Amino acid sequence: MPNPVKKPVVIVTRKLPDVVETRMRELFDARLNTDDTPMTQAQLAEAVKVADVLVPTVTDRIDRAVISQAGPQLRLIANFGTGVDNIDLDTARNRAVTVTNTPGVLTEDTADMTMALILAVPRRLPEGATYLKDPKTKWAGWSPTWMLGNRIFGKRLGIVGMGRIGQAVAQRAKAFGLQIHYHNRKRVSLDIEQELDATYWESLDQMLSRMDIVSINCPHTPATYHLLSARRLKLLKPSAYIVNTARGEVIDENELARLIEAGSIAGAGLDVYEHEPAVNPKLLASDRVVALPHMSSATIEGRIDMGEKVIINIKAFLDGHSPPDKVHPAMF
């Protein structure tokens, strides 16, 4: 009997949807993390010594120390996620290791959650829901002055990062009657601006000082670390709200917490944090902060789509083709 063809070793660092893991087992020698316990840096270093392909997630730090211990057989890191700030791209390139990601599939889910936070924070939705469910409080009924929030119709929304997600947020916000403004590394096309009725600001400082709501939708890169610094946060109006579904590192979290506590910023809707999974206690304690546990992309459909992209990238690479979602450092 002929020997079966040896399948490539694909090590997956976290639990993925069952349908994705089943397909991986069919195609590869897939080593799965069925209990979803995050791998330590030492375990990641051991994994790259034997893996032909590593499939990490955004919470895995694939840094120089890990990649430098990779065996010669490691040629692909197929990231389960759009952002690749968790991977040392320069070291990967120097070691001739290709990196892929999963762009596009989470656009609608993330934009939906961004819009949900844009609605939830000014209208105090979680605060009202918590009050009603709290056994220690008794709702006395409707009152003309109780639980007053702020209208969003007609307000100015400033989008920081007008890529796929930023544009999807703008489409939703326009339908709710918000005026769309944006700052981006490069100005989008005139057709897109006209479709969204969007006003471009070359100066982020000038835009921030005029907005009622600011939505962060840019990736985390060295250039965007603390893009909303302490200085820039102080430019916001006291009545302004911040929503962040991108990366926590884009905002100076300590300064944001301080300004909200002082009443210098009206509130925030946050799904990501600078030092995840740790969150500034002042943010969690504030009624003017809606804090979610990094769940903007957490839909069944989205996770399956991500897994399918990972599989397509692996298959294309192993078949000798350029994977469709190959990452180039210049992209970020």
PDB file of all heavy atoms in Angstrom, residues 214-230:
ATOM      1  N   VAL A 214     -17.329  61.274  18.101  1.00  0.00           N
ATOM      2  CA  VAL A 214     -16.125  60.867  17.375  1.00  0.00           C
ATOM      3  C   VAL A 214     -16.067  59.343  17.373  1.00  0.00           C
ATOM      4  O   VAL A 214     -16.164  58.704  18.433  1.00  0.00           O
ATOM      5  CB  VAL A 214     -14.849  61.437  18.022  1.00  0.00           C
ATOM      6  CG1 VAL A 214     -13.598  60.876  17.345  1.00  0.00           C
ATOM      7  CG2 VAL A 214     -14.849  62.958  17.949  1.00  0.00           C
ATOM      8  N   SER A 215     -15.938  58.753  16.192  1.00  0.00           N
ATOM      9  CA  SER A 215     -15.848  57.301  16.055  1.00  0.00           C
ATOM     10  C   SER A 215     -14.459  56.920  15.574  1.00  0.00           C
ATOM     11  O   SER A 215     -13.998  57.394  14.528  1.00  0.00           O
ATOM     12  CB  SER A 215     -16.901  56.787  15.069  1.00  0.00           C
ATOM     13  OG  SER A 215     -16.781  55.391  14.880  1.00  0.00           O
ATOM     14  N   ILE A 216     -13.787  56.050  16.319  1.00  0.00           N
ATOM     15  CA  ILE A 216     -12.449  55.588  15.959  1.00  0.00           C
ATOM     16  C   ILE A 216     -12.577  54.327  15.127  1.00  0.00           C
ATOM     17  O   ILE A 216     -13.084  53.304  15.593  1.00  0.00           O
ATOM     18  CB  ILE A 216     -11.596  55.303  17.215  1.00  0.00           C
ATOM     19  CG1 ILE A 216     -11.603  56.504  18.156  1.00  0.00           C
ATOM     20  CG2 ILE A 216     -10.172  54.928  16.814  1.00  0.00           C
ATOM     21  CD1 ILE A 216     -11.074  57.769  17.550  1.00  0.00           C
ATOM     22  N   ASN A 217     -12.108  54.381  13.889  1.00  0.00           N
ATOM     23  CA  ASN A 217     -12.202  53.239  12.976  1.00  0.00           C
ATOM     24  C   ASN A 217     -10.916  53.027  12.192  1.00  0.00           C
ATOM     25  O   ASN A 217     -10.942  52.522  11.064  1.00  0.00           O
ATOM     26  CB  ASN A 217     -13.379  53.436  12.015  1.00  0.00           C
ATOM     27  CG  ASN A 217     -14.702  53.537  12.737  1.00  0.00           C
ATOM     28  OD1 ASN A 217     -15.288  54.606  12.819  1.00  0.00           O
ATOM     29  ND2 ASN A 217     -15.165  52.438  13.300  1.00  0.00           N
ATOM     30  N   CYS A 218      -9.784  53.397  12.762  1.00  0.00           N
ATOM     31  CA  CYS A 218      -8.492  53.215  12.100  1.00  0.00           C
ATOM     32  C   CYS A 218      -7.743  52.054  12.744  1.00  0.00           C
ATOM     33  O   CYS A 218      -7.990  51.701  13.901  1.00  0.00           O
ATOM     34  CB  CYS A 218      -7.663  54.496  12.186  1.00  0.00           C
ATOM     35  SG  CYS A 218      -7.256  54.997  13.875  1.00  0.00           S
ATOM     36  N   PRO A 219      -6.800  51.427  12.037  1.00  0.00           N
ATOM     37  CA  PRO A 219      -6.014  50.341  12.626  1.00  0.00           C
ATOM     38  C   PRO A 219      -4.985  50.864  13.610  1.00  0.00           C
ATOM     39  O   PRO A 219      -4.667  52.068  13.626  1.00  0.00           O
ATOM     40  CB  PRO A 219      -5.326  49.709  11.404  1.00  0.00           C
ATOM     41  CG  PRO A 219      -5.203  50.838  10.436  1.00  0.00           C
ATOM     42  CD  PRO A 219      -6.439  51.684  10.624  1.00  0.00           C
ATOM     43  N   HIS A 220      -4.487  49.976  14.455  1.00  0.00           N
ATOM     44  CA  HIS A 220      -3.391  50.340  15.353  1.00  0.00           C
ATOM     45  C   HIS A 220      -2.071  50.102  14.634  1.00  0.00           C
ATOM     46  O   HIS A 220      -1.748  48.985  14.231  1.00  0.00           O
ATOM     47  CB  HIS A 220      -3.440  49.506  16.630  1.00  0.00           C
ATOM     48  CG  HIS A 220      -2.237  49.691  17.501  1.00  0.00           C
ATOM     49  ND1 HIS A 220      -1.582  48.643  18.120  1.00  0.00           N
ATOM     50  CD2 HIS A 220      -1.534  50.809  17.840  1.00  0.00           C
ATOM     51  CE1 HIS A 220      -0.551  49.112  18.796  1.00  0.00           C
ATOM     52  NE2 HIS A 220      -0.507  50.413  18.636  1.00  0.00           N
ATOM     53  N   THR A 221      -1.310  51.155  14.435  1.00  0.00           N
ATOM     54  CA  THR A 221       0.022  51.102  13.852  1.00  0.00           C
ATOM     55  C   THR A 221       0.915  52.010  14.691  1.00  0.00           C
ATOM     56  O   THR A 221       0.415  52.750  15.543  1.00  0.00           O
ATOM     57  CB  THR A 221       0.004  51.602  12.398  1.00  0.00           C
ATOM     58  OG1 THR A 221      -0.270  53.017  12.397  1.00  0.00           O
ATOM     59  CG2 THR A 221      -1.055  50.886  11.566  1.00  0.00           C
ATOM     60  N   PRO A 222       2.218  51.984  14.471  1.00  0.00           N
ATOM     61  CA  PRO A 222       3.062  52.960  15.188  1.00  0.00           C
ATOM     62  C   PRO A 222       2.601  54.400  14.987  1.00  0.00           C
ATOM     63  O   PRO A 222       2.702  55.228  15.891  1.00  0.00           O
ATOM     64  CB  PRO A 222       4.447  52.720  14.585  1.00  0.00           C
ATOM     65  CG  PRO A 222       4.436  51.270  14.194  1.00  0.00           C
ATOM     66  CD  PRO A 222       3.032  51.011  13.710  1.00  0.00           C
ATOM     67  N   ALA A 223       2.047  54.702  13.816  1.00  0.00           N
ATOM     68  CA  ALA A 223       1.611  56.066  13.536  1.00  0.00           C
ATOM     69  C   ALA A 223       0.316  56.429  14.251  1.00  0.00           C
ATOM     70  O   ALA A 223       0.038  57.610  14.477  1.00  0.00           O
ATOM     71  CB  ALA A 223       1.435  56.263  12.033  1.00  0.00           C
ATOM     72  N   THR A 224      -0.499  55.429  14.615  1.00  0.00           N
ATOM     73  CA  THR A 224      -1.787  55.735  15.252  1.00  0.00           C
ATOM     74  C   THR A 224      -1.788  55.461  16.751  1.00  0.00           C
ATOM     75  O   THR A 224      -2.813  55.638  17.405  1.00  0.00           O
ATOM     76  CB  THR A 224      -2.929  54.922  14.608  1.00  0.00           C
ATOM     77  OG1 THR A 224      -2.693  53.525  14.809  1.00  0.00           O
ATOM     78  CG2 THR A 224      -3.059  55.235  13.132  1.00  0.00           C
ATOM     79  N   TYR A 225      -0.654  55.038  17.302  1.00  0.00           N
ATOM     80  CA  TYR A 225      -0.595  54.845  18.756  1.00  0.00           C
ATOM     81  C   TYR A 225      -0.856  56.186  19.452  1.00  0.00           C
ATOM     82  O   TYR A 225      -0.202  57.182  19.170  1.00  0.00           O
ATOM     83  CB  TYR A 225       0.775  54.294  19.169  1.00  0.00           C
ATOM     84  CG  TYR A 225       0.938  54.196  20.675  1.00  0.00           C
ATOM     85  CD1 TYR A 225       0.315  53.170  21.386  1.00  0.00           C
ATOM     86  CD2 TYR A 225       1.680  55.141  21.375  1.00  0.00           C
ATOM     87  CE1 TYR A 225       0.448  53.083  22.757  1.00  0.00           C
ATOM     88  CE2 TYR A 225       1.817  55.060  22.759  1.00  0.00           C
ATOM     89  CZ  TYR A 225       1.189  54.031  23.436  1.00  0.00           C
ATOM     90  OH  TYR A 225       1.313  53.963  24.806  1.00  0.00           O
ATOM     91  N   HIS A 226      -1.849  56.198  20.342  1.00  0.00           N
ATOM     92  CA  HIS A 226      -2.256  57.427  21.041  1.00  0.00           C
ATOM     93  C   HIS A 226      -2.508  58.573  20.062  1.00  0.00           C
ATOM     94  O   HIS A 226      -2.152  59.714  20.330  1.00  0.00           O
ATOM     95  CB  HIS A 226      -1.228  57.829  22.097  1.00  0.00           C
ATOM     96  CG  HIS A 226      -1.366  57.056  23.371  1.00  0.00           C
ATOM     97  ND1 HIS A 226      -0.740  57.418  24.541  1.00  0.00           N
ATOM     98  CD2 HIS A 226      -2.077  55.932  23.670  1.00  0.00           C
ATOM     99  CE1 HIS A 226      -1.030  56.552  25.505  1.00  0.00           C
ATOM    100  NE2 HIS A 226      -1.848  55.635  24.989  1.00  0.00           N
ATOM    101  N   LEU A 227      -3.106  58.220  18.919  1.00  0.00           N
ATOM    102  CA  LEU A 227      -3.488  59.262  17.968  1.00  0.00           C
ATOM    103  C   LEU A 227      -4.395  60.277  18.661  1.00  0.00           C
ATOM    104  O   LEU A 227      -4.292  61.486  18.437  1.00  0.00           O
ATOM    105  CB  LEU A 227      -4.205  58.637  16.766  1.00  0.00           C
ATOM    106  CG  LEU A 227      -4.610  59.574  15.630  1.00  0.00           C
ATOM    107  CD1 LEU A 227      -3.379  60.168  14.950  1.00  0.00           C
ATOM    108  CD2 LEU A 227      -5.470  58.835  14.610  1.00  0.00           C
ATOM    109  N   LEU A 228      -5.297  59.767  19.491  1.00  0.00           N
ATOM    110  CA  LEU A 228      -6.069  60.649  20.354  1.00  0.00           C
ATOM    111  C   LEU A 228      -5.329  60.747  21.684  1.00  0.00           C
ATOM    112  O   LEU A 228      -5.628  60.048  22.657  1.00  0.00           O
ATOM    113  CB  LEU A 228      -7.493  60.148  20.539  1.00  0.00           C
ATOM    114  CG  LEU A 228      -8.495  60.742  19.523  1.00  0.00           C
ATOM    115  CD1 LEU A 228      -8.196  60.217  18.125  1.00  0.00           C
ATOM    116  CD2 LEU A 228      -9.918  60.446  19.918  1.00  0.00           C
ATOM    117  N   SER A 229      -4.340  61.604  21.675  1.00  0.00           N
ATOM    118  CA  SER A 229      -3.476  61.820  22.828  1.00  0.00           C
ATOM    119  C   SER A 229      -4.190  62.670  23.864  1.00  0.00           C
ATOM    120  O   SER A 229      -5.312  63.153  23.649  1.00  0.00           O
ATOM    121  CB  SER A 229      -2.198  62.520  22.375  1.00  0.00           C
ATOM    122  OG  SER A 229      -2.523  63.779  21.787  1.00  0.00           O
ATOM    123  N   ALA A 230      -3.514  62.893  24.986  1.00  0.00           N
ATOM    124  CA  ALA A 230      -4.082  63.764  26.021  1.00  0.00           C
ATOM    125  C   ALA A 230      -4.356  65.154  25.453  1.00  0.00           C
ATOM    126  O   ALA A 230      -5.407  65.753  25.721  1.00  0.00           O
ATOM    127  CB  ALA A 230      -3.122  63.843  27.209  1.00  0.00           C
TER     128      ALA A 230
END
